[in-house]
Amino acid sequence: MRMSKLFGKTSKTEGSDYKIPSHRLLTQAGYIRESTAGRYYLLPLGLKVHDNIMRVVRKHMDAADAQEVVMPTLHPLELWRETNRTTSVSFELMKVTDRRGAEFALGGTAEEMAVDLVRKFNVSYKDLPFTIYQFSNKFRDEMRARGGLLRVREFMMKDAYSFGTEEQFEAVYKQMWKAYEDIFAELGLKVDVVAADNGYIGGEYCHEFVAESENGESRYFIDPQSGYAAHEDVAIFKVDDKNLDEPAQPMQEVAAERGKTMEDGVKHHNLPLWQQIKDVLYFDEATGRYILAVIRGDLNVNETKLMQASGAWELRPATDDEIRNDLQSEPGFISPVGITKKGVQTGRELVIVGDKSLRSARNMYGGTNKKHQDLLNINIDRDYALDIEADIALAEPGFISPDGGALVEKRGIEVGNIFQLGYHYSNLMKDAEFTDEEGKRQKYYMGCYGIGIGRTLAAIVEAHHDQKGILWPTSIAPFSVVICQLGTDDEVVNAAYDMYKKLTDLGVAVLYDDRTDARPGEKFADADLLGIPYRVIVSAKTVASGSFEVKRRDSDEAEMLDLEGVIKMTVTNIR
RNA sequence: CGGGGAUUGGCGCAGUUGGCUAGCGCGCGCGGUUUGGGACCGCGAGGUCGAAGGUUCGAGUCCUUUAUCCCCGACCA
């Protein structure tokens, strides 16, 4: 490619709206350009990198026995109704209607489409297991786009769907896990594999592949000793026992003229925070129930775990009005002891969900559901009962992992994930079945596996850049070599063109900076900004000496090589 | 959707308490001198100041409505 003809210019000035390095560098170097918030043009350079990432992903998916297909972008809304996801997905579905009034969803993920495709073929156990995948633009009407390519409303995703029996699933899941490790390794992206929450996709467990970055949106915890890694939503930890050797004391009601915070309770009674009972009252819009989360005072409630444990879907904090008038309690003095289980005004049910940490302490203290009255020596089972007992505690840095090490908090970009879907979709969708050995119909057991291509591209830039620009890993660089032609003398131009031609004929992706109106400094700055792995300089000086200056983007040292040397170096270092 | 900030040639910005043909830098075009880390001189093109309405003799500047964008929160590849 001749740089003089390249569409998409580099820019010396940077926009003030570009807050994170990948967004700024990709825009400044002419890889991408924003259309509207969360929708981007991929320019020729950006498309090359994008294609290269897809090529790597495709290679490893194929190697893992997945088969590529293409699904329509417009999904019949009927299919989404079949799984009730017209209302339950967290990202807003974008819908379109055709001239006949048929409704479609713009695909944001394609579980239903995959199942619908497979069920058309009436598969048998002999066909299982198998995995299909596609690359397609996904549409998600996100509340807020953010950070350039990091969170957008329209993006290329590789999504794969596996079909098989429950017995076969573990091997398939591991195969995909391995494929993902190979993909990100080849892309030059270090990732942590963390256990995460399935959310709206359904199923029981999943793992996220997260590239550590301060600009990422995923918070997760790792135990560096054991390798335990989990998203903050699902991270578990060991709760220490406090005073279980203490005998249970008789419960006692006392006057407590205090404020409503936990600290007020600690101060008033001069007792430790951990001994206080923390009560957090929610209302679930989805099921119309109050959820009272009860936990040891020094811990916080993890709403994701709480939703999992209680079956709630749309939690919001209960209002003071609801607490006082419907539940006859008092903000700051809520207590599982004697709280009404049914709203007196609305008749709404109240479910008490208690954290297992409540069993790590005795003789706890807390409110009475009456203002300025507290209870001392509250003991679980004896004084109150839980409807649901579960782990609903939020992990914090320094807590002890299940393996015994201290948890470290990290932040990163979620570039891919693998989900166990189980029977979730085959239960919801008709005829999602295969014929087994005995001729009986059985549900498929499924998994799904996604990688965001644009986000991965941005994550690679986040991980590989310096003051001057991008440093592409050779596996995905838009060009392997940039030839900087300095000067316009015939010998220089001829030598540069000759090298460009020879390398190109050998299959090396070469960017030939043939611009006659750019001075050397500008060419160097652009080469650095663009992040091409190798830079070769052809100038009057080098032509006279019969050798060329070759420098790696990630090194400060150049070496002088003749044409044969340049060819050898670049050809052996390309993919 | 809640909170904060912004919108003036392709990009980055200035524009005072309302006042004259709306400026600067970069970039772009033409001519020339240059050529190893973003050169210089000359000439030139390009803006109904996000949009609509209002106040005023007069609006980029004041008021109302509205659109878009950025940042922080709840979601995700």
Side-chain angles (χ1 to χ4, degrees):
Chain A
M1 179 78 214
R2 302 181 88 112
M3 191 126 165
S4 59
K5 297 289 177 204
L6 182 66
F7 176 72
K9 293 187 188 308
T10 59
S11 166
K12 201 156 52 166
T13 50
E14 51 189 71
S16 56
D17 278 347
Y18 310 129
K19 313 287 181 190
I20 68 165
S22 61
H23 190 196
R24 177 173 61 79
L25 290 170
L26 288 169
T27 304
Q28 212 180 324
Y31 283 84
I32 61 173
R33 188 69 176 229
E34 190 177 69
S35 164
T36 57
R39 300 177 205 281
Y40 283 85
Y41 294 99
L42 277 180
L43 304 180
L45 284 172
L47 183 62
K48 280 181 190 295
V49 180
H50 201 259
D51 280 347
N52 288 339
I53 294 172
M54 283 170 62
R55 196 196 67 243
V56 170
V57 172
R58 179 176 283 127
K59 180 173 97 184
H60 291 285
M61 292 304 289
D62 290 347
D65 297 329
Q67 302 176 63
E68 188 171 357
V69 299
V70 173
M71 304 187 199
T73 300
L74 267 52
H75 301 179
L77 206 57
E78 264 318 296
L79 290 179
W80 287 74
R81 292 210 181 92
E82 211 174 327
T83 56
N84 299 316
R85 287 215 294 178
T86 46
T87 50
S88 68
V89 266
S90 59
F91 62 85
E92 195 70 21
L93 267 185
M94 309 210 50
K95 294 173 197 164
V96 293
T97 307
D98 73 7
R99 69 171 78 204
R100 285 183 294 277
E103 292 179 294
F104 296 90
L106 280 169
T109 173
E111 287 76 14
E112 288 85 353
M113 291 294 279
V115 171
D116 186 52
L117 171 63
V118 170
R119 69 184 171 182
K120 288 179 196 293
F121 285 87
N122 204 11
V123 294
S124 96
Y125 73 94
K126 294 178 199 165
D127 301 312
L128 303 181
F130 67 91
T131 300
I132 53 177
Y133 76 100
Q134 66 168 343
F135 289 96
S136 72
N137 278 317
K138 298 295 185 288
F139 297 83
R140 297 186 178 182
D141 197 3
E142 297 279 349
M143 298 278 202
R144 181 160 87 87
R146 195 196 81 95
L149 258 25
L150 284 186
R151 183 171 57 192
V152 296
R153 301 198 165 100
E154 204 179 311
F155 61 97
M156 177 65 70
M157 179 165 86
K158 185 282 300 174
D159 45 327
Y161 306 89
S162 69
F163 296 81
T165 64
E166 189 163 355
E167 297 69 45
Q168 292 165 338
F169 182 72
E170 196 182 335
V172 174
Y173 195 79
K174 281 190 173 148
Q175 195 178 18
M176 281 298 147
W177 185 315
K178 173 72 168 50
Y180 271 39
E181 286 181 334
D182 293 345
I183 287 168
F184 292 116
E186 184 163 346
L187 294 176
L189 201 53
K190 264 220 282 285
V191 291
D192 287 318
V193 186
V194 308
D197 179 53
N198 281 44
Y200 66 89
I201 301 227
E204 292 152 53
Y205 61 88
C206 80
H207 289 86
E208 292 181 353
F209 288 69
V210 183
E212 192 181 354
S213 162
E214 57 177 354
N215 292 313
E217 300 187 89
S218 290
R219 279 241 298 279
Y220 59 104
F221 291 96
I222 62 164
D223 174 349
Q225 253 91 59
S226 72
Y228 171 82
H231 192 92
E232 62 172 342
D233 289 345
V234 298
I236 54 178
F237 57 92
K238 282 188 180 158
V239 176
D240 51 328
D241 287 337
K242 291 296 188 186
N243 60 344
L244 292 181
D245 49 336
E246 231 173 71
Q249 303 290 330
M251 191 164 70
Q252 188 188 352
E253 185 167 335
V254 295
E257 190 124 349
R258 61 169 174 86
K260 346 191 270 186
T261 67
M262 299 295 290
E263 290 70 37
D264 292 329
V266 168
K267 263 189 230 149
H268 183 86
H269 297 287
N270 197 25
L271 288 167
L273 182 62
W274 58 259
Q275 207 163 359
Q276 195 173 167
I277 294 179
K278 181 183 282 189
D279 304 272
V280 188
L281 191 55
Y282 295 93
F283 179 69
D284 178 33
E285 300 277 6
T287 58
R289 298 172 307 171
Y290 290 108
I291 308 284
L292 177 61
V294 189
I295 194 167
R296 205 175 76 189
D298 57 335
L299 300 175
N300 285 312
V301 173
N302 177 325
E303 292 187 8
T304 302
K305 287 184 183 177
L306 179 63
M307 288 196 278
Q308 291 263 341
S310 64
W313 194 250
E314 261 184 280
L315 286 182
R316 63 158 172 84
T319 63
D320 284 3
D321 178 60
E322 287 168 333
I323 294 169
R324 287 206 179 92
N325 300 321
D326 201 21
L327 294 171
Q328 310 273 287
S329 184
E330 176 64 29
F333 294 84
I334 299 171
S335 170
V337 184
I339 192 161
T340 179
K341 300 296 292 291
K342 198 168 198 174
V344 297
Q345 291 178 334
T346 60
R348 292 164 175 171
E349 186 194 348
L350 178 134
V351 181
I352 302 178
V353 183
D355 187 66
K356 58 182 190 192
S357 61
L358 294 167
R359 297 202 179 275
S360 65
R362 290 258 165 79
N363 300 321
M364 300 178 79
Y365 64 101
T368 51
N369 298 308
K370 295 189 291 269
K371 195 168 185 180
H372 295 166
Q373 291 285 114
D374 275 351
L375 286 169
L376 300 180
N377 303 322
I378 307 170
N379 286 288
I380 189 165
D381 299 333
R382 187 192 72 179
D383 304 322
Y384 66 96
L386 302 174
D387 296 313
I388 297 168
E389 186 170 336
D391 168 18
I392 56 166
L394 189 66
E396 307 279 356
F399 283 12
I400 302 305
S401 94
D403 303 323
L407 289 176
V408 176
E409 186 181 4
K410 289 177 122 188
R411 196 164 244 291
I413 301 163
E414 183 191 345
V415 287
N417 62 21
I418 53 179
F419 283 90
Q420 173 230 35
L421 298 176
Y423 296 116
H424 186 84
Y425 288 89
S426 18
N427 280 335
L428 290 169
M429 296 182 72
K430 235 179 69 182
D431 294 332
E433 298 171 334
F434 65 95
T435 310
D436 71 9
E437 290 94 323
E438 284 146 30
K440 282 201 278 216
R441 303 287 282 163
Q442 304 281 357
K443 304 277 186 196
Y444 333 119
Y445 199 86
M446 295 174 57
C448 78
Y449 317 87
I451 293 179
I453 305 300
R455 184 181 279 184
T456 299
L457 194 158
I460 292 168
V461 177
E462 290 293 326
H464 300 281
H465 70 270
D466 63 15
Q467 291 290 311
K468 295 173 178 171
I470 303 169
L471 289 86
W472 291 114
T474 52
S475 59
I476 54 155
F479 294 99
S480 303
V481 190
V482 55
I483 297 174
C484 290
Q485 168 190 298
L486 305 187
T488 51
D489 296 342
D490 285 352
E491 310 92 76
V492 172
V493 174
N494 291 339
Y497 180 75
D498 182 50
M499 181 184 294
Y500 170 53
K501 192 88 177 52
K502 285 207 167 86
L503 289 174
T504 304
D505 287 348
L506 286 166
V508 182
V510 184
L511 180 62
Y512 171 29
D513 192 348
D514 61 333
R515 292 175 297 175
T516 52
D517 56 351
R519 293 163 54 82
E522 192 175 344
K523 294 194 175 194
F524 297 149
D526 277 345
D528 290 339
L529 178 61
L530 291 175
I532 313 295
Y534 288 93
R535 185 187 76 186
V536 181
I537 292 175
V538 181
S539 68
K541 244 190 271 178
T542 64
V543 170
S545 71
S547 61
F548 305 95
E549 181 187 313
V550 182
K551 190 182 90 63
R552 289 170 56 108
R553 174 65 177 86
D554 59 3
S555 160
D556 287 329
E557 282 160 36
E559 57 182 310
M560 300 301 290
L561 297 173
D562 60 14
L563 182 57
E564 286 308 308
V566 172
I567 289 172
K568 215 185 210 169
M569 174 157 211
T570 53
V571 170
T572 51
N573 276 292
I574 61 168
R575 40 190 172 264

